Amino acid sequence: MKFTTFLLAAVTQIAAAAQQPTAIPPEIVVVPSGALRLKALLWLPDNGGPFPAVLFNHGSGSSDAMHTGPFVITEAAERLGPIFVKHGYAFLYLLRRGQGLSADQGDFMQKLLQREKMAKEKKLEKVCSFVCSPPTIWMT
């Protein structure tokens, strides 16, 4: 319950600070994922820790790899990170393969989904053209 209350307060602060620039710069870190080296933006409180941490998993609903929703992906991170740090949390904003600073680490998820959809549609077309075609009537 305490975290939910904090999260609601953070979202409210984000809305209020939407036009303000980030005062706390993040550190860019590398997070290994198999053969990939994903980038992440990390904010740490000044007190040296230990402190609770938030691993933020951004959405992938945008049609391009540089946005998450209406925001440029790094802008979204720079709005969230300082708010959590202000409340004593470490904040890690991982950039998925093919997105933002990890653009060179594999294909963007929407690209993979589109490729899979096209492959399935082609397979369905082949099956349907065979199964759904009108029967051939042979007359002798």
Side-chain angles (χ1 to χ4, degrees), residues 22 30 32-33 42-43 61 64 72-74 96 104:
T22 301
V30 175
S33 176
L42 175 66
W43 284 264
D64 71 271
V72 172
I73 202 161
T74 52
R96 295 179 184 167
D104 62 345

Side-chain angles (χ1 to χ4, degrees), residues 58-77 93 95-96 98-101 108 110:
H58 65 81
S60 295
S62 292
S63 59
D64 71 271
M66 297 311 286
H67 287 82
T68 180
F71 297 104
V72 172
I73 202 161
T74 52
E75 180 185 350
Y93 192 98
L95 296 149
R96 295 179 184 167
Q99 285 192 274
L101 299 173
F108 174 47
Q110 294 295 340

Side-chain angles (χ1 to χ4, degrees), residues 84-104:
F84 280 89
V85 167
K86 178 181 169 186
H87 292 280
Y89 287 83
F91 187 81
L92 184 72
Y93 192 98
L94 183 64
L95 296 149
R96 295 179 184 167
R97 64 183 72 197
Q99 285 192 274
L101 299 173
S102 296
D104 62 345

Side-chain angles (χ1 to χ4, degrees), residues 7-77:
L7 193 55
L8 288 172
V11 169
T12 303
Q13 286 184 17
I14 290 168
Q19 301 304 318
Q20 297 176 2
T22 301
I24 305 168
E27 177 183 351
I28 297 174
V29 296
V30 175
V31 178
S33 176
L36 301 177
R37 299 294 175 255
L38 303 175
K39 304 288 189 317
L41 300 173
L42 175 66
W43 284 264
L44 296 172
D46 289 333
N47 66 5
F51 26 74
V54 173
L55 169 58
F56 191 82
N57 188 13
H58 65 81
S60 295
S62 292
S63 59
D64 71 271
M66 297 311 286
H67 287 82
T68 180
F71 297 104
V72 172
I73 202 161
T74 52
E75 180 185 350

